């Protein structure tokens, strides 16, 4: 409750949360909200201007840009969310194990992380997608493999801070099992910081997914996705720049909102920002 009160007092954080929730809801209910079928081709109306039927015009195949933007929100955000869940899951579990047990387990996991982190994540993602082939499943696998080591190392450093606490030492001396200590004590204490890490990195994952689709290695036509919309509009950027501006602004806005939200969560979870009021009797 104290964290929520601190976060609620942050106007920028609340604004970001509300707008992101709106974007997620638009994506989830895009089938009901979209004015047209995002894959319906109408060559006779290609590059149509803004109108009541096509609020943001049409693309090179006469498809409604607004409808594709709404459906693209669902595609981009769901893929990014699935990628984040898998990355946090693998990196979090290994980070908890490494930070809690230490000794040779920590050494083995950290040396593997060192090997993975020695390669730039973008280069590794492109290499893995090149080996596995194009497709949504492969870009998720590539992103998870490229990013789990970073989360593992970050979460390990967070866990180490708590394993040296007196109450954790007392729990060990009292005979509590490792599973009980990790799930009942350490994991609840680290969830806030893990949430901050995930929120701050969500924007980066969205950029990776969109970039791969823009390069033709991610989501394939006719599926609507923001990066794919940029790829399809790049050939007419000088004639119809709005076709690239619309999905570009969607990516830019969403990434910025996640970054600002992460900063606000970091401030809210910081106990140093808590204010204590003393009652005067």
């Amino acid at each position: 409750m104290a964290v929520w009160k601190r976060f609620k007092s942050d106007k920028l954080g609340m604004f970001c949360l509300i707008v992101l929730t709106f974007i997620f809801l638009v994506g989830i209910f895009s089938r009901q909200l979209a004015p047209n079928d995002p894959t319906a081709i109408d060559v006779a109306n290609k590059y149509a201007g803004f109108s009541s039927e096509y609020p943001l015009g049409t693309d090179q195949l006469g498809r409604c840009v607004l409808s594709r933007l709404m459906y693209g929100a669902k595609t981009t955000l769901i893929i990014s969310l699935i990628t984040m869940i898998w990355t946090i899951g693998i990196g979090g579990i290994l980070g908890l194990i490494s930070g809690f047990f230490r000794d040779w387990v920590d050494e083995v996991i950290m040396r593997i992380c060192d090997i993975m982190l020695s390669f730039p994540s973008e280069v590794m993602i492109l290499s893995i997608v090149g080996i596995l082939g194009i497709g949504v499943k492969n870009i998720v696998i590539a992103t998870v493999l490229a990013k789990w080591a970073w989360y593992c190392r970050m979460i390990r450093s967070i866990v180490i801070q708590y394993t040296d606490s007196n109450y954790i030492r007392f729990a060990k001396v009292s005979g509590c099992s490792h599973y009980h200590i990790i799930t009942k004590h350490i994991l609840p204490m680290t969830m806030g910081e893990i949430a901050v890490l995930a929120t701050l990195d969500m924007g980066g994952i969205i950029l990776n997914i969109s970039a791969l689709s823009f390069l033709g290695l991610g989501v394939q036509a006719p599926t609507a996705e923001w990066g794919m919309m940029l790829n399809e509009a790049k050939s007419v950027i000088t004639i119809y720049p709005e076709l690239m501006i619309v999905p570009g602004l969607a990516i830019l806005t969403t990434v910025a909102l996640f970054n600002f939200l992460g900063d606000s969560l970091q401030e809210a979870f910081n106990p140093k920002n808590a204010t204590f009021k003393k009652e005067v009797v």
Side-chain angles (χ1 to χ4, degrees):
M1 292 302 296
V3 172
W4 170 247
K5 288 180 180 178
R6 291 197 293 272
F7 177 76
K8 190 167 61 173
S9 64
D10 189 336
K11 294 181 180 179
L12 179 60
M14 286 300 298
F15 173 77
C16 293
L17 180 62
I18 292 171
V19 176
L20 284 173
T21 302
F22 173 76
I23 294 174
F24 268 101
L25 290 176
V26 169
I28 292 172
F29 296 102
S30 56
R31 184 185 297 272
Q32 291 77 23
L33 297 174
N36 298 284
D37 184 352
T39 60
I41 298 175
D42 185 8
V43 181
N45 286 320
K46 67 178 182 178
Y47 301 125
F50 301 162
S51 64
S52 57
E53 184 179 2
Y54 303 111
L56 292 179
T58 61
D59 61 7
Q60 75 282 1
L61 296 177
R63 299 171 297 188
C64 178
V65 173
L66 179 59
S67 299
R68 291 184 64 77
L69 190 71
M70 291 181 173
Y71 275 80
K74 178 180 180 180
T75 304
T76 303
L77 294 177
I78 287 181
I79 294 175
S80 301
L81 190 60
I82 292 173
T83 304
M84 176 58 66
I85 290 173
W86 275 100
T87 307
I88 286 287
I90 297 174
I93 291 173
L94 293 177
L96 283 169
I97 294 173
S98 178
F100 182 78
F101 292 101
R102 310 293 290 276
D103 296 331
W104 66 270
V105 176
D106 182 39
E107 288 293 328
V108 172
I109 295 177
M110 285 301 99
R111 296 299 75 77
I112 296 175
C113 288
D114 290 340
I115 295 173
M116 299 298 294
L117 293 173
S118 63
F119 301 97
S121 59
E122 289 78 10
V123 175
M124 182 177 292
I125 291 173
L126 289 173
S127 300
I128 295 173
V129 172
I131 294 172
L132 298 179
I134 60 177
V136 175
K137 181 176 71 174
N138 292 336
I139 63 175
V140 171
I141 294 173
T143 307
V144 171
L145 290 176
K147 285 184 170 290
W148 72 266
W150 182 82
Y151 279 96
C152 179
R153 184 172 286 279
M154 294 297 295
I155 294 171
R156 169 187 174 272
S157 63
I158 296 171
V159 171
I160 289 175
Q161 297 176 5
Y162 294 108
T163 52
D164 294 332
S165 302
N166 290 331
Y167 68 93
I168 298 295
R169 294 176 180 176
F170 179 78
K172 292 179 179 179
V173 173
S174 300
C176 296
S177 64
H178 295 321
Y179 177 80
H180 177 85
I181 295 174
I182 292 174
T183 57
K184 301 298 182 180
H185 297 292
I186 295 179
L187 189 58
M189 292 295 294
T190 60
M191 285 304 296
E193 297 181 64
I194 293 175
V196 172
L197 290 175
T199 306
L200 287 171
D201 197 46
M202 188 69 175
I205 291 180
I206 292 175
L207 286 176
N208 286 336
I209 301 296
S210 299
L212 288 171
S213 297
F214 176 76
L215 295 173
L217 300 175
V219 178
Q220 299 298 302
T223 303
E225 197 272 334
W226 292 342
M228 174 59 64
M229 293 176 68
L230 288 173
N231 180 41
E232 293 173 339
K234 65 183 180 182
S235 59
V236 292
I237 184 174
T238 58
I239 306 174
Y240 302 101
E242 65 274 10
L243 294 180
M244 289 201 74
I245 291 175
V246 171
L249 283 177
I251 296 172
L252 176 63
T253 302
T254 306
V255 171
L257 288 171
F258 271 112
N259 289 337
F260 287 130
L261 179 62
D263 291 336
S264 298
L265 286 175
Q266 192 171 24
E267 292 294 324
F269 277 106
N270 189 352
K272 294 181 181 179
N273 296 324
T275 57
F276 300 92
K277 296 182 179 180
K278 296 182 180 180
E279 296 183 0
V280 179
V281 180

